[in-house]
Each structure stands twice: as C-alpha cells, then as structure tokens.
C-alpha cells in the first residue's frame, strides 16, 4: 500500500526564551492548535484517526507524560483517537511521520496524524537528564557535546570560520526572503490566545539585519569548553589524525533555540476518498542509520544513501533537499559529500535562521519541502537530520 501525505501545518517558531512570544503558551496548546488545524482544514471525523504520533525530545515538566494523547483531547479529538509520544532526539518529528507512513503502508492503519512539539523556553533542553549526559557514560564512550562534534567535522572537512559564517548569513537571507514572498503561508497557522487575539503569526528568530561582520565578532561557543575540560583531547583519542580542533561555531551559525509544533496528516487512498481529500505527496522511502557517537552529526550521510538505495534512486534524482542546520558544518558536509548545489539545499532558509524546536523540526522540514515542491512544480524532496548519540534519519517524498 501507499502512504499519502494529505496536509502539513506548523506554528510559527517563537524565540525559545522567557521573552519569546510563545513562552506564555503551554506546549500542549501549541500542539493542540496544529491538531485542530489538520482536522478543520480537511474536515475529518477524528473517530477515524487510528493514532496521533508526536515527537518530543525533553519529556518532562510541561512536556511530560504522553503529550500526544493529551493534546488530542485538548483539541477535541474523538475519545477513540489514541496518542503516543516518541523520542529520537532531533529526528523525533520526522520519525513520527515515518512511523505513521509505515503503519499506513503496512495496512494496519488508515489515518494517522504525526508531527511533534518542543517548548524550549518552558522546558530546558537536557532537563530530563539521562545516561548520555552522565560523566561516567561520556568517559566510557569518549562522547563530547554536539558543538565540539560540529567543530570536529569542520576541522576534518576543511571548513573555515568564514565558510560557516557565510552559510549562516545565507540562511538568514533565504528565510527573510521566504517570509517576504509568503512562501510559508500555506503551512503556518497563527497561535492565538483564548480571546482569539494573535500571539504570534511569524517566525521570530529570523534576523534580517545579520551581517558577515556581525557574525565575525561572535566568539566560538565551544572553544573554552573543549580546552578547559579536555573535551578536545577526548575527541582526538578517536581521531588522532586531528592535530587540533578548529572551533568555528557560535550562536550565529548554529541552530536557534525556539518553541513550536507541527502536524502532518498521513493516510491511505481509502482514507482520502472517505473525506474527499486530495493527496499532496507520497512517502517514497524512509531510512535510519547509526554513526560514530563522537563525531555524532554525520548520520545524514549514511541515512541518505540508504533512503536512495531502497528505491533505486541517485542523489541527482532529488529536486529539493532539507538538511537540518543543527550547525553550519552539517549541511556543508552534506553538500561536499554528495556534490549537491547549495541552491537545492534549504532554499527557504534553515534552522540557523528559523530555529530548531527539537521534537517538531523534522515534521516542519517535511512541510516546507512539500510546499516548495508544489510552488516550483518539482517532483521529489529528501529531508534529513543529524541526531544525538550518532544517528541519522532521512525521508524521500514524491509530489502527487
């Protein structure tokens, strides 16, 4: 069977701090807003929703328990619509969509709402703890913080501070252009308060006034951490060919901390016919891959190769790429490895400018790719994210 994508929506990304617009909104309400939009835009009877599958990385505090089920109830979904919350770190939002597609393609489910949520202003990243953040585990595995991994990639791949800063500047320019030309209008739904007043209707992390000179004044974020706590030496145990790690990443060329939620409607052909929905795309291929947990962020490379191989495609068959900008070195590595023109990678801007709401990002990227394919009359897109712990995820969609 074929898994069809019928719709994709997201909230704007709010600045992930106490002065961000979405700080006053509970994450369950952010997610419920997306669930309402998917239901109302497509006139579906939620009694037919087989599952609500949502990614969320920091599942504590306001995001604890099963936020997928709670949000479905808050959104007024039928009591028969269950929910499950999953965590594959930064890949969680795309994993939720892939899970939904797998259940539909297998014939076990007919209609699933997938996506994710992360309120990084209200629930601090890492506040859920875990073995990976424990010093004993770090020493056992020689793991280091992701920023040092990103700097390690830049060092090995030969990316200079100017390279990563120029990439970040272009991300800001593209995101600004996307909003100016209303590229996100179809997918972005405003967040409103209980009185119906708009709290936020536009991504607020974008900085149109960014300059190369301004980026150049920012100090590397991970240099002191790497040197003072011997974390550079820990990484070099696995990569002894690296004489010294060139620290080039900072807040301006790394993904922004933001709040946001997204929902994607995935279903069978029969589900579409039941509710009179026209499919927008099919999920053509999905893949997961493990990678070295020290350099950590290289997972998009093997995941992309696997996703392409599963359907007999080559990199040149893809019209549009969404490569999550966790750090500038990640998409730069991807383009260098596969020889992909930058014009095809994150043409609407990426997480450096727009932000990276961990559990929701993958679903947001898929929606961005889907809108772009339709707007440009293109056929195929590949969405991929690097994942903590050394993993990668990739999805190929094909426009109907």
């Amino acid at each position: 069977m074929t898994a069809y994508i019928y719709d994709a929506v997201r909230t704007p990304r709010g600045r992930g701090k106490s002065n961000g617009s979405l700080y006053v909104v509970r994450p369950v309400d952010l997610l419920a807003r997306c669930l309402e939009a998917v239901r109302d835009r497509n006139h579906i009877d939620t009694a037919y929703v087989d599952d609500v599958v949502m990614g969320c990385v920091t599942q504590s505090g306001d995001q604890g328990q099963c936020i997928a089920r709670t949000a479905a109830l808050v959104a007024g979904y039928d009591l028969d619509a269950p929910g499950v919350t999953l965590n594959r770190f930064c890949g969680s939002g795309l994993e939720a969509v892939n899970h939904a597609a797998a259940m539909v393609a297998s014939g076990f489910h007919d209609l699933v709402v997938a996506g994710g949520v992360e309120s990084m202003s209200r629930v601090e990243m890492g506040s859920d703890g875990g073995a990976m953040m424990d010093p004993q585990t770090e020493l056992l595995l020689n793991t280091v913080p992701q920023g040092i991994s990103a700097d390690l990639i830049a060092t090995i791949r030969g990316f200079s501070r100017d390279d990563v800063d120029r990439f970040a500047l272009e991300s800001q320019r593209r995101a600004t252009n996307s909003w100016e030309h209303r590229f996100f209008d179809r997918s972005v739904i405003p967040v409103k308060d209980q009185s119906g007043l708009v709290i936020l209707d536009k991504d607020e992390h974008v900085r149109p006034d960014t300059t190369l000179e301004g980026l150049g004044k920012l100090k590397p974020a991970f240099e002191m951490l790497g040197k003072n706590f011997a974390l550079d030496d820990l990484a070099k145990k696995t990569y002894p060919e690296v004489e010294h790690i060139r620290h080039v990443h900072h807040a301006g060329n790394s993904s922004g901390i933001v709040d946001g939620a997204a929902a994607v409607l995935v279903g069978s052909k029969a589900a579409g016919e039941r509710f009179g929905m026209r499919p927008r795309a099919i999920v053509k291929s999905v893949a997961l891959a493990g990678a070295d947990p020290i350099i950590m962020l290289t997972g998009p490379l093997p995941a992309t190769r696997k996703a392409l191989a599963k359907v007999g495609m080559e990199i040149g068959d893809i019209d549009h790429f969404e490569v999550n900008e966790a750090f500038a070195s990640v998409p730069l590595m991807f383009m260098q490895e596969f020889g992909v023109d930058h014009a095809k990678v994150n043409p609407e801007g990426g997480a450096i400018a727009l932000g990276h709401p961990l559990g929701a990002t993958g679903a947001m990227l898929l929606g961005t790719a889907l809108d772009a394919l339709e707007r440009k009359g293109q056929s195929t897109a590949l969405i991929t994210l690097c994942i903590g712990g050394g993993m990668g995820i990739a999805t190929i969609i094909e426009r109907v």
Side-chain angles (χ1 to χ4, degrees), residues 185-321:
D185 276 9
R186 180 165 186 176
S187 293
V188 173
I189 54 172
V191 177
K192 301 178 181 179
D193 64 16
Q194 293 180 342
S195 302
L197 297 176
V198 173
I199 297 173
L200 185 67
D201 60 2
K202 184 177 180 180
D203 296 319
E204 69 176 343
H205 188 267
V206 183
R207 297 176 179 174
D209 58 348
T210 300
T211 64
L212 197 61
E213 293 72 25
L215 291 171
K217 294 177 182 178
L218 298 176
K219 294 183 179 180
F222 308 100
E223 185 170 22
M224 297 301 291
L225 190 65
K227 292 179 178 178
N228 291 353
F229 292 89
L231 294 175
D232 284 1
D233 293 335
L234 203 60
K236 288 191 289 184
K237 284 184 180 180
T238 304
Y239 294 89
E241 70 274 17
V242 176
E243 192 170 321
H244 70 275
I245 295 176
R246 186 187 306 119
H247 291 285
V248 297
H249 288 92
H250 51 75
N253 57 35
S254 305
S255 56
I257 294 174
V258 294
D259 305 333
V264 179
L265 186 60
V266 182
S268 64
K269 181 180 180 181
E273 292 173 346
R274 177 187 293 274
F275 297 111
M277 300 184 296
R278 184 182 68 83
R280 298 176 63 187
I282 65 169
V283 178
K284 193 174 181 68
S285 181
V286 304
L288 292 162
D292 170 28
I294 291 88
I295 203 165
M296 195 183 303
L297 309 174
T298 59
L301 306 185
T304 292
R305 292 192 182 95
K306 289 174 73 172
L308 292 168
K310 285 176 184 290
V311 285
M313 297 178 72
E314 298 180 354
I315 202 75
D317 297 324
I318 304 297
D319 299 311
H320 179 109
F321 296 88

Side-chain angles (χ1 to χ4, degrees), residues 116-247:
V117 63
E118 206 79 33
S119 179
M120 301 181 76
S121 66
R122 295 173 67 104
V123 185
E124 185 178 354
M125 180 169 52
S127 60
D128 53 342
M132 190 169 289
M133 299 181 67
D134 181 81
Q136 185 176 346
T137 307
E138 290 181 342
L139 288 172
L140 176 67
L141 301 176
N142 285 345
T143 54
V144 294
Q146 286 190 0
I148 292 176
S149 299
D151 288 337
L152 179 59
I153 288 173
T155 302
I156 292 173
R157 292 273 174 168
F159 304 138
S160 67
R161 170 66 183 264
D162 187 63
D163 291 332
V164 293
D165 281 357
R166 287 185 182 278
F167 183 90
L169 181 64
E170 180 62 10
S171 181
Q172 293 285 357
R173 188 197 69 78
R174 292 181 178 190
T176 299
N177 180 70
S178 296
W179 273 108
E180 287 178 349
H181 290 85
R182 306 182 67 169
F183 291 165
F184 300 133
D185 276 9
R186 180 165 186 176
S187 293
V188 173
I189 54 172
V191 177
K192 301 178 181 179
D193 64 16
Q194 293 180 342
S195 302
L197 297 176
V198 173
I199 297 173
L200 185 67
D201 60 2
K202 184 177 180 180
D203 296 319
E204 69 176 343
H205 188 267
V206 183
R207 297 176 179 174
D209 58 348
T210 300
T211 64
L212 197 61
E213 293 72 25
L215 291 171
K217 294 177 182 178
L218 298 176
K219 294 183 179 180
F222 308 100
E223 185 170 22
M224 297 301 291
L225 190 65
K227 292 179 178 178
N228 291 353
F229 292 89
L231 294 175
D232 284 1
D233 293 335
L234 203 60
K236 288 191 289 184
K237 284 184 180 180
T238 304
Y239 294 89
E241 70 274 17
V242 176
E243 192 170 321
H244 70 275
I245 295 176
R246 186 187 306 119
H247 291 285

Side-chain angles (χ1 to χ4, degrees), residues 54-66:
M54 291 293 152
C56 182
V57 174
T58 310
Q59 295 181 30
S60 62
D62 282 349
Q63 295 176 166
Q65 302 177 344
C66 182

